[in-house]
Amino acid sequence: MTADNLVPWNDLNVSPSELRLDQTLVCGQAFRWKATGENEWTCALWDVVVDLKQTAETVHYRILGHRPIEYTRIPEEFLPSALCDYFQLSENLGSLCDRWTSVDPDFAILRQTQLGVRALRQPVTESMFTFIASSNNNIKRITMLIDKLCRKYGYPINTAKGTFYTFPRVQDIAMDKDIEGTFTRLGFGYRAKYYARTVERLMKMHEDPEQFLLQLRANSSWEAVKEQLTQFSGVGPKVADCICLTSLDKIDAVPVDTHIWQIAKRRYVNRVLALQLSKPTEESSTNDLAIQVPDSKRDLVIAMARELATAKAPTAKTYETAQRLFVELFSPHAGWAQLLLFSGDLEGANGAGKAAKSSVKKETKVKTASKRKIVAKDSSTLSSNVSEVTKVNGRMVLRSGGGKRTKPSKAE
């Protein structure tokens, strides 16, 4: 008997323009959601197995199973609000895209090609332990490693779709007398010692490690939280920024790796430097491709662009400059804007999520046909460093000018 015969679906009441599962769940934020059917994704969250389904109009949800009731963190009646919190549905993505488009006209295209991509608000422990595995790694291998971690330390929940494992608590991992040895055998390599040291530090310094990590959300200072996180083994500045953005409500956190540094160079350096050719009080409305920057930020962002233009290779300093450039251009929610840019370049790389995306496109073909026409019509408005809009697997994808498109394989 299938899950459809056992558990009815409920409506989360969110349109594809605000949330697309096939886009959001495979763009390097979360690594435990599994494609389990046509347009369906399943994961063990909050000690329950959550099943989601994308349709042309909305997202449906249901619970397929749970731990014994005394362990369940989220009662079933609270699942809708928990999912709204997880996907941060209180944030209007359309309004954010409007604001980003007013700064960078390219977002008029990105909001179509990357429809419904939004930042997640994940459990903090899961985010931290996942991104420790992300340095010098790729999405496929991170997913494999985190699955092994959950199988080793998590709780198995059997459902009609198979067995799913909860993400373990810090205390669950701490019960292991040889954490480093276990993680080494699981395939984490040199990162094994990071986990052992981080668990040890959390257990020694905090009576309730989970609560300590959770309370970091209440600290409004991104830099202060980042400083606390980088005290843990395996958490450098980039990993800390990933944790801040995906679980700690730091909406301006911009994780910068080589790929994002290249995006900053390719998309923004020349266009920001072009601001030098016009007077500070001049409007740029005559140039549909122009970056719009308030006069108060003009000199600052030009200086940043100059620094990036002369950098031949990424360094810690130029990474920071690229990060600051994104923040100056897109704050607040600079981290969300960066995610949309990253997802746009990730499209088509490594084949991630192709099967699921293909099935969603079949279902939404009629409804998205007009939008595709709009994208094709507006392709002429792309900036000079984006040379074309190309159809890949039936979807419109931005292609960069100046040579072959870089293929992002790293999630570090």
Side-chain angles (χ1 to χ4, degrees), residues 59-232:
V59 170
H60 293 292
Y61 69 90
R62 60 186 176 183
I63 290 179
L64 296 183
H66 53 75
R67 291 185 68 170
I69 196 64
E70 62 268 23
Y71 294 104
T72 302
R73 301 171 193 169
I74 298 293
E76 293 191 24
E77 61 269 25
F78 294 133
L79 183 61
S81 60
L83 287 172
C84 287
D85 181 76
Y86 182 83
F87 288 110
Q88 305 195 79
L89 297 182
S90 61
E91 297 282 1
N92 187 295
L93 189 58
S95 296
L96 294 179
C97 286
D98 288 342
R99 178 155 53 81
W100 298 332
T101 303
S102 72
V103 175
D104 176 6
D106 281 2
F107 272 88
I109 308 300
L110 279 169
R111 71 188 302 171
Q112 299 292 340
T113 63
Q114 304 307 308
L115 185 73
V117 175
R118 58 192 307 122
L120 300 176
R121 192 179 195 234
Q122 301 184 81
V124 187
T125 303
E126 177 175 346
S127 178
M128 181 179 188
F129 279 62
T130 294
F131 283 108
I132 288 176
S134 70
S135 59
N136 299 311
N137 219 338
N138 58 66
I139 290 176
K140 183 177 180 180
R141 191 162 186 275
I142 297 167
T143 301
M144 178 268 290
L145 290 174
I146 297 306
D147 183 66
K148 287 184 175 182
L149 186 158
C150 293
R151 287 175 179 269
K152 173 62 181 177
Y153 296 109
Y155 187 92
I157 303 175
N158 297 318
T159 75
K161 285 190 170 184
T163 301
F164 297 85
Y165 294 82
T166 62
F167 199 92
R169 302 176 306 158
V170 176
Q171 296 91 323
D172 297 329
I173 300 175
M175 294 175 65
D176 189 340
K177 301 302 182 184
D178 184 20
I179 297 173
E180 183 174 347
T182 299
F183 274 77
T184 298
R185 289 187 291 274
L186 291 176
F188 283 80
Y190 68 88
R191 304 174 190 85
K193 61 180 178 290
Y194 297 161
Y195 286 95
R197 294 171 185 172
T198 291
V199 170
E200 181 182 13
R201 183 182 180 89
L202 282 168
M203 294 299 294
K204 281 186 176 180
M205 297 186 65
H206 307 285
E207 183 177 349
D208 186 341
E210 305 271 332
Q211 187 58 36
F212 160 72
L213 293 173
L214 188 62
Q215 60 86 25
L216 292 176
R217 285 179 174 172
N219 190 330
S220 61
S221 171
W222 164 26
E223 290 300 326
V225 170
K226 186 174 178 178
E227 184 177 353
Q228 289 194 64
L229 290 173
T230 52
Q231 301 303 309
F232 293 96

Side-chain angles (χ1 to χ4, degrees), residues 5 8 33 43 112 115 134 168 205 214 216 221 234 261 267 285 289 292 297 301 332 342:
N5 299 127
W33 288 93
C43 183
Q112 299 292 340
L115 185 73
S134 70
M205 297 186 65
L214 188 62
L216 292 176
S221 171
W261 185 82
R267 280 184 174 272
S285 58
L289 310 179
Q292 301 288 340
K297 294 184 177 182
V301 298
F342 179 79

Side-chain angles (χ1 to χ4, degrees), residues 275-286:
L275 295 172
Q276 300 173 103
L277 304 179
S278 60
K279 297 178 181 179
T281 56
E282 286 182 347
E283 293 291 334
S284 301
S285 58
T286 56

Side-chain angles (χ1 to χ4, degrees), residues 139-389:
I139 290 176
K140 183 177 180 180
R141 191 162 186 275
I142 297 167
T143 301
M144 178 268 290
L145 290 174
I146 297 306
D147 183 66
K148 287 184 175 182
L149 186 158
C150 293
R151 287 175 179 269
K152 173 62 181 177
Y153 296 109
Y155 187 92
I157 303 175
N158 297 318
T159 75
K161 285 190 170 184
T163 301
F164 297 85
Y165 294 82
T166 62
F167 199 92
R169 302 176 306 158
V170 176
Q171 296 91 323
D172 297 329
I173 300 175
M175 294 175 65
D176 189 340
K177 301 302 182 184
D178 184 20
I179 297 173
E180 183 174 347
T182 299
F183 274 77
T184 298
R185 289 187 291 274
L186 291 176
F188 283 80
Y190 68 88
R191 304 174 190 85
K193 61 180 178 290
Y194 297 161
Y195 286 95
R197 294 171 185 172
T198 291
V199 170
E200 181 182 13
R201 183 182 180 89
L202 282 168
M203 294 299 294
K204 281 186 176 180
M205 297 186 65
H206 307 285
E207 183 177 349
D208 186 341
E210 305 271 332
Q211 187 58 36
F212 160 72
L213 293 173
L214 188 62
Q215 60 86 25
L216 292 176
R217 285 179 174 172
N219 190 330
S220 61
S221 171
W222 164 26
E223 290 300 326
V225 170
K226 186 174 178 178
E227 184 177 353
Q228 289 194 64
L229 290 173
T230 52
Q231 301 303 309
F232 293 96
S233 185
V235 182
K238 186 264 178 178
V239 169
D241 285 331
C242 288
I243 300 168
C244 284
L245 177 63
T246 64
S247 65
L248 293 176
D249 301 342
K250 306 303 177 274
I251 57 178
D252 269 343
V254 178
V256 176
D257 58 6
T258 302
H259 187 58
I260 295 301
W261 185 82
Q262 291 170 345
I263 290 177
K265 292 263 290 183
R266 186 175 69 246
R267 280 184 174 272
Y268 295 109
V269 167
N270 289 338
R271 295 165 72 201
V272 170
L273 290 177
L275 295 172
Q276 300 173 103
L277 304 179
S278 60
K279 297 178 181 179
T281 56
E282 286 182 347
E283 293 291 334
S284 301
S285 58
T286 56
N287 182 356
D288 290 338
L289 310 179
I291 295 293
Q292 301 288 340
V293 179
D295 289 350
S296 60
K297 294 184 177 182
R298 189 184 184 92
D299 291 342
L300 178 60
V301 298
I302 289 174
M304 293 176 183
R306 285 174 180 162
E307 181 180 342
L308 291 174
T310 58
K312 295 182 179 180
T315 65
K317 189 174 186 298
T318 55
Y319 275 11
E320 182 180 350
T321 301
Q323 184 179 67
R324 289 172 55 216
L325 179 62
F326 279 113
V327 172
E328 292 299 331
L329 290 176
F330 299 114
S331 179
H333 296 88
W336 285 56
Q338 170 266 339
L339 183 66
L340 207 67
L341 288 163
F342 179 79
S343 179
D345 272 34
L346 189 66
E347 178 65 39
N350 301 325
K354 284 184 178 178
K357 290 185 180 182
S358 175
S359 60
V360 170
K361 288 193 286 290
K362 289 178 182 178
E363 184 173 351
T364 59
K365 183 176 181 180
V366 174
K367 290 183 174 290
T368 60
S370 60
K371 291 181 179 178
R372 287 175 181 155
K373 291 178 181 178
I374 293 173
V375 173
K377 180 180 178 181
D378 290 347
S379 64
S380 60
T381 68
L382 287 172
S383 62
S384 58
N385 55 7
V386 179
S387 62
E388 62 178 343
V389 176

